[in-house]
Amino acid sequence: MTPMNIFLTVIAILVILYILISIRKNKLSPANSFIWIIFCIILLVLSIWPASLDWLANLLGISYPPTLFLSIALVILFIMNFIQSKKIEDLQKKIIDLGQELSILKDKKSKK
């Protein structure tokens, strides 16, 4: 194992531990951390067995294996961005609904 592989393995393990500790302390929900854990597991597998990236790239017909890794990372980040955007949209709708309800309640209270 090269020093870079050891470094990536340690980083992946530390990030997984940090995510699990954050879930345990209720600082992060399991649903939000699922993609991060998947990404760290992929990084862990690729750092322990770097030949697996070459094998998978050859299987998919990609001539330069690091391109596959960057493509996987990009897809994961797009998925995470989409999920977060969807949650933000839902929260914005709830804020508008709460504002409207508050206005109605204030209006009813002022008429009494």
Side-chain angles (χ1 to χ4, degrees):
M1 234 179 169
T2 66
M4 185 61 158
N5 291 8
I6 294 170
F7 175 74
L8 290 175
T9 302
V10 169
I11 293 296
I13 291 171
L14 289 176
V15 171
I16 289 172
L17 289 175
Y18 179 75
I19 291 170
L20 293 176
I21 290 169
S22 296
I23 292 170
R24 192 168 185 197
K25 292 182 178 181
N26 289 327
K27 292 183 178 182
L28 188 63
S29 72
N32 288 337
S33 61
F34 181 72
I35 294 176
W36 284 109
I37 291 175
I38 294 291
F39 186 68
C40 288
I41 290 171
I42 290 170
L43 180 62
L44 190 62
V45 168
L46 292 176
S47 64
I48 293 173
W49 296 288
S52 62
L53 184 63
D54 296 334
W55 175 81
L56 189 58
N58 287 335
L59 184 69
L60 296 174
I62 298 172
S63 60
Y64 187 59
T67 304
L68 175 63
F69 180 75
L70 291 174
S71 299
I72 291 169
L74 187 65
V75 167
I76 289 172
L77 290 174
F78 276 138
I79 291 169
M80 290 172 60
N81 187 19
F82 177 75
I83 291 169
Q84 294 299 323
S85 295
K86 201 167 124 182
K87 287 182 183 181
I88 289 171
E89 184 68 30
D90 291 342
L91 290 173
Q92 285 176 337
K93 287 179 184 178
K94 286 181 182 180
I95 288 171
I96 291 170
D97 291 343
L98 285 172
Q100 290 172 347
E101 286 181 36
L102 181 63
S103 296
I104 292 169
L105 290 174
K106 281 185 178 180
D107 186 50
K108 286 182 181 179
K109 185 178 179 182
S110 67
K111 289 184 181 180
K112 287 185 180 180

